[in-house]
Structures are given as structure tokens and as C-alpha cells.
Amino acid sequence: MAMTPHVLIVAGSDSSGGAGIVRDVETVSAFGLRSCVAVTAVTVQSHQAVARIEQMPPDLVAAQMRAALAANPVKAVKIGMLGSAPTIEAVSSVLASSLPIPVVLDPVLASTSGRPLLDANAMTSLKRKLFPLCTLVTPNLPELALLSGLPLAIGERDILRQAGRLFDAAAPAILVKGGHASGESSTDLLLLPGRDPIRFDASRIPVAMRGTGCMLASAIAAHLAQNETLENSVGKAKRHVFAKLLASIS
């Protein structure tokens, strides 16, 4: 058991079980790996709304990460909700002393119901401190717009322009999720500087499910932990999420 690859999950809790750490651990386990965790926040929420958020002290988040890294063979890190600039700085400090480990950042900026989950003044810290330490950043279209400071993208040209701003902030690779777009297909774009976009297509399934962003990022981290390439990890993770969505309506 001690030699089983672990994914360190740095994220918030979700009392409804629909997203956050519960969804992350569930996903990592689906690929035969184990998880260790650093809780960044405790939330009180249903599937409809977030009622309360309690941030963990940044030094406690960092201490959890150091303990997890010391206790387990951590082969990848998945980061979700961070909440504040001090927490971002604490997480970045631990990662900087622990690299090289693949790091997948799901930039959680707001809940599905629209409640902000990251302080407005923390956006700069996220880009300056954390982006350079990541292997992959996985924004959806609204998150990409907020991170780039531009209006919501309405086509691939807009997406590439917005992604360029994230590359300027030292993001090494970006997976732009297409779930918020329209059309019969849901297309995710894997973007790397100086390379043509790599497209991952799936039929759009008419079902609402919370936590799909958590699932996708955790599945990518799980495959990276098993020494898969980034492109293969994204493809397998996309198929995993598609299967979960399909199963929810069968």
C-alpha cells in the first residue's frame, strides 16, 4: 500500500459531496491510486447554493501539504479551491520546494451557483505565484475570461487570444474546457506555446452534473502520476468524465 502512487489533493470540502475533495478522491480511486489531502476551506453547500465558507489558515494548509508529501509517494498534485492570496502563496511555497512533481491546477473562481470562491485581489497571486509551478491549468470559458481580463470568448480565435495572456503569466500548458460553449459537441482545447491546438471532442450530453471540472483535473493528475504523457492524460480523463455523464442518464 505504501508504494501505491498518491495524488495530493489541495482543495476545499463540499458538504453535499458533489464537488471538491470528495469528488477528487473518488476520481483518483477510480484509477487505482490513493489520495492524500490538504484542506483549504470548509464549505456548507447543497447542490443549489453555497451557504457558508470557512477558510483554513494558510500555515495549516502548508503544514498539511508538507505532512502528506513526507508520508506518501506523491506522484502528482491536483489543486482546486484556494480562496485567498495568502493561501496561494503558502501552497506555492510548498510546491516550489517539492518540485518536480506534475501539478494540475483547476482555477476554481466561483461555485456553480455563482458565489465567488476566490478573493478578487487573489487573481494576480494565482497567476504570478502558482502558474509557473504548474504542469497544466484547466479553466472553463468563464474562468478563462476572468483570468485574462477579457470578455467571454465566443470562438477559437478569442480563446487563443485569452490563452496568450495566461502564457504571458508563465502558464506552461492550458486546457480550455468547452462545457460552457454551445453546439452538439463539447470540445476541449489543449494549448501549448508555439504549437497548434490539440482538440478533444465528445458529444454534448444534456445533463447537469456538479464537479465535472474537479473530476477532469483529478483524472488528468491520476494519469500523470502514472507517467502518462500530458496529451494521453487529457484524452483519458476526458473519456472518464464523458462516461460518468453518460451513466448519469442511463
Side-chain angles (χ1 to χ4, degrees), residues 47-213:
H47 294 307
Q48 288 75 42
V50 178
R52 182 176 175 184
I53 299 171
E54 292 289 340
Q55 296 283 342
M56 295 296 100
D59 64 324
L60 179 58
V61 176
Q64 292 177 81
M65 292 178 67
R66 287 192 292 267
L69 288 162
N72 305 298
V74 173
K75 300 300 182 183
V77 179
K78 184 268 178 176
I79 301 174
M81 177 184 176
L82 291 169
S84 70
T87 296
I88 291 167
E89 291 170 8
V91 169
S92 299
S93 178
V94 175
L95 288 178
S97 64
S98 305
L99 296 175
I101 299 175
V103 177
V104 179
L105 170 63
D106 180 14
V108 178
L109 306 183
S111 68
T112 301
S113 61
R115 177 161 177 169
L117 298 178
L118 182 69
D119 293 345
N121 61 358
M123 204 86 69
T124 298
S125 292
L126 188 74
K127 291 185 283 188
R128 289 182 179 175
K129 299 283 188 178
L130 200 49
F131 275 19
L133 302 174
C134 293
T135 304
L136 180 68
V137 183
T138 65
N140 57 33
L141 290 176
E143 290 163 347
L144 181 65
L146 287 169
L147 289 166
S148 65
L150 294 170
L152 188 69
I154 57 173
E156 189 169 312
R157 186 174 180 178
D158 287 346
I159 290 172
L160 296 178
R161 184 170 77 254
Q162 293 180 6
R165 293 201 174 185
L166 273 59
F167 287 134
D168 290 342
I174 304 165
L175 181 68
V176 182
K177 298 174 288 192
H180 285 75
S182 58
E184 294 183 358
S185 294
S186 173
T187 300
D188 297 349
L189 295 179
L190 177 59
L191 307 174
L192 299 101
R195 290 182 54 181
D196 291 336
I198 302 170
R199 293 171 175 80
F200 298 89
D201 295 312
S203 299
R204 191 175 299 280
I205 300 174
V207 62
M209 177 185 288
R210 294 179 57 241
T212 53

Side-chain angles (χ1 to χ4, degrees), residues 31 104 135-138 173-177 187-192 198-202 215-224 228-242:
F31 298 103
V104 179
T135 304
L136 180 68
V137 183
T138 65
I174 304 165
L175 181 68
V176 182
K177 298 174 288 192
T187 300
D188 297 349
L189 295 179
L190 177 59
L191 307 174
L192 299 101
I198 302 170
R199 293 171 175 80
F200 298 89
D201 295 312
M215 260 193 283
L216 183 68
S218 295
I220 294 169
H223 287 295
L224 290 174
E228 295 271 6
T229 66
L230 181 59
E231 184 174 345
N232 285 346
S233 296
V234 171
K236 290 181 178 180
K238 173 87 171 178
R239 290 192 289 274
H240 175 78
V241 174
F242 179 80

Side-chain angles (χ1 to χ4, degrees), residues 21-32:
I21 286 176
V22 171
R23 191 68 94 174
D24 295 326
V25 171
E26 171 190 88
T27 301
V28 170
S29 297
F31 298 103

